[in-house]
Amino acid sequence: MVQQSAPLWSSRFAFVMAAVGSAVGLGNVWKFPYMAGTGGGAAFVAVYVGCVLLVGVPILVAELMLGRRGGKDPVGTMAGLGARFGGTPAWGLVGGAGVLTALLVLSFYSVIAGWALAYVPKALGGVFAGADGTATQAAFAGLLGSPGTLLAWHTAFMAATVFVVAGGVRGGVERASTWLMPALFAMLLALVGYGMVAGDFARGATYLLKPDFSKIDGGLVLAAAGQAFFSLSVGLGTMLAYGSYLPADVSIPRTSVVIALCDTACAILAGLAVFPIVFAYGLDPSEGPGLVFVTLPVAFGQMPAGALFGAVFFALLVVAALTSAVSLLEPVVAWGTGRHGGSRKAWAAGVGAVAWGLGLLTIFSFNIWADVRPMGGDRTVFDWIDHLTSSVMLPLGGALLAVFAGWALPKEVSAAEFGTGDTALFRAWRFLVRVVAPAAVLGVLLDRLT
Ligand code: PFF
């Protein structure tokens, strides 16, 4: 097998951890709990887990496979494989759409990571000591109401992302992924433990884990599917790019299962940390994007050494966000240097600057544009960017990659990359990417758009 990209990772283990680092981030700790809350709890969670298993993991396998086979940036990989197996290099457009989507996602991702960054000094300074839900809500509203403050933290986070990507991903992200991500996991566990002692754990757990299937409709399925794509980092070329650095002796199905397990475990733990506090303190589960930022600080304000614990927690969340943001910038930079030449540093800075500028749309959505509804309805500008990327572009991109891997890529090639031969597992995967994933995505999209 040709390995065209320079190996980014020093070992197999490091690769797997970097991919886990991409998957685990704000999507798990920030987005999953509030999406579950606005989606009514366990019904959302059940559909989400179904989407991860039946659609997300098979597409993750497909993306890593195509990435390793193509060996280039997402556009180059899809154009090359398209010309070779798919009848036309126009398949490169799927990679191109992914690169654009990555830019858009990065733009708001950095703003939200900025919220977490802002909460490190807040927690450390004892702002939350003894605070109840009303106080933490006021603190959060104060942050959102200040575009200048949001801009400062957004700038700091984007600069850090650019710095890491410009320097080559290897050293820093590897270390962050292998040491700090497990630390975040341990903190989440501790918070779940805290919820058992001090929160309304029974109610929180029931809310999250006991589904009422009558609540499921097309909108909920689309939101859950979108969240599954977002959380696994699939559908926009990140895993195509990471796959191009994937050593030949790594098992793609096994890696994908590890990524999905770590990712889903973190999301569920975050939910189990948040909802017992929500119910114990009379907060609103459907609060929206601020949910973790108003609930967890209540816990930090009550527990012993909560100031330090809270600061460390938000710092680790920032690190988890950084390893994900890097994986959003990386494919765009890989495309730029691969396609147009120029230095890695210049591309990282330039693309980072564009994403930074687009981030202003998100920042203003929470203050000076808080009442702006670009298409009527109740979506703000940020809601639109989030909806278009997570619920439309990622599922579409993922479905097209699945179709390519299932129908255009010859069976011998996918079997060789899958690495198990023509086993039942391989056949199951092939059926999922050929039929189930595209049908599911098209089904829910059509249901919502008509
Ligand atoms: N998976 C990341 C998270 O859950 O926070 C976000 C993300 C990273 C999405 C990379 C997409 C991506 F390509």
Side-chain angles (χ1 to χ4, degrees):
M1 205 204 57
V2 221
Q3 188 82 46
Q4 279 139 332
S5 297
L8 263 195
W9 317 110
S10 59
S11 68
R12 251 187 307 172
F13 178 67
F15 169 80
V16 177
M17 287 314 288
V20 171
S22 168
V24 175
L26 295 170
N28 308 65
V29 178
W30 159 71
K31 204 166 180 202
F32 175 81
Y34 93 73
M35 297 278 291
T38 48
F44 178 93
V45 178
V47 178
Y48 172 80
V49 172
C51 289
V52 167
L53 287 176
L54 295 178
V55 183
V57 172
I59 294 182
L60 178 55
V61 168
E63 255 194 60
L64 290 174
M65 181 180 270
L66 295 172
R68 182 156 79 183
R69 222 359 108 137
K72 296 206 175 91
D73 67 274
V75 185
T77 282
M78 287 312 292
L81 293 176
R84 208 154 139 221
F85 302 116
T88 162
W91 280 98
L93 289 174
V94 180
V99 164
L100 270 179
T101 310
L103 251 184
L104 270 178
V105 172
L106 180 59
S107 79
F108 74 78
Y109 204 82
S110 167
V111 174
I112 315 291
W115 298 355
L117 203 48
Y119 267 50
V120 176
K122 262 201 212 313
L124 203 56
V127 170
F128 304 123
D132 59 6
T134 321
T136 57
Q137 244 152 356
F140 184 64
L143 174 67
L144 289 193
S146 164
T149 312
L150 295 179
L151 186 65
W153 293 114
H154 164 54
T155 308
F157 184 83
M158 191 65 86
T161 307
V162 166
F163 181 79
V164 172
V165 173
V169 170
R170 194 155 158 171
V173 171
E174 270 194 34
R175 228 166 300 132
S177 305
T178 35
W179 293 103
L180 299 175
M181 305 285 294
L184 178 68
F185 192 82
M187 296 289 269
L188 283 173
L189 271 179
L191 278 171
V192 175
Y194 178 82
M196 287 181 179
V197 182
D200 191 341
F201 191 76
R203 194 153 160 222
T206 311
Y207 178 78
L208 211 57
L209 302 175
K210 193 156 169 276
D212 169 2
F213 289 104
S214 68
K215 292 225 180 89
I216 299 174
D217 61 16
L220 186 137
V221 176
L222 185 60
Q227 172 62 11
F229 282 83
F230 185 85
S231 194
L232 291 173
S233 304
V234 296
L236 49 59
T238 278
M239 292 297 174
L240 280 178
Y242 275 25
S244 76
Y245 309 120
L246 185 59
D249 59 347
V250 173
S251 159
I252 288 179
R254 207 175 308 149
T255 304
S256 304
V257 168
V258 171
I259 296 172
L261 276 180
C262 295
D263 192 56
T264 308
C266 282
I268 304 277
L269 282 183
L272 285 177
V274 164
F275 286 104
I277 301 170
V278 167
F279 292 119
Y281 288 89
L283 294 159
D284 178 8
S286 61
E287 154 97 31
L291 190 64
V292 253
F293 292 95
V294 304
T295 48
L296 294 187
V298 175
F300 299 141
Q302 311 282 336
M303 62 176 64
L308 186 62
F309 192 89
V312 172
F313 175 83
F314 283 114
L316 289 173
L317 181 56
V318 171
V319 172
L322 189 63
T323 56
S324 302
V326 161
S327 80
L328 284 162
L329 184 53
E330 173 62 29
V332 190
V333 169
W335 164 78
T337 52
R339 172 69 50 120
H340 303 286
S343 77
R344 196 176 172 80
K345 286 196 174 56
W347 272 99
V351 176
V354 174
W356 176 85
L358 287 170
L360 298 178
L361 300 176
T362 293
I363 289 185
F364 296 150
S365 299
F366 291 101
N367 35 69
I368 53 182
W369 293 347
D371 297 319
V372 176
R373 300 287 179 278
M375 315 280 271
D378 44 32
R379 286 203 178 104
T380 62
V381 175
F382 162 71
D383 293 332
W384 271 109
I385 300 177
D386 178 32
H387 175 73
L388 276 182
T389 50
S390 300
S391 300
V392 182
M393 320 259 277
L394 297 189
L396 264 185
L400 286 167
L401 293 170
V403 166
F404 188 89
W407 295 94
L409 203 65
K411 197 171 164 194
E412 312 79 70
V413 176
S414 53
E417 289 292 343
F418 200 86
T420 61
D422 193 4
T423 53
L425 192 65
F426 173 69
R427 271 177 264 145
W429 168 77
R430 206 142 176 273
F431 177 70
L432 289 170
V433 287
R434 279 161 80 94
V435 181
V436 177
V441 168
L442 283 185
V444 279
L445 275 182
L446 287 178
D447 177 68
R448 293 313 290 166
L449 299 179
T450 51

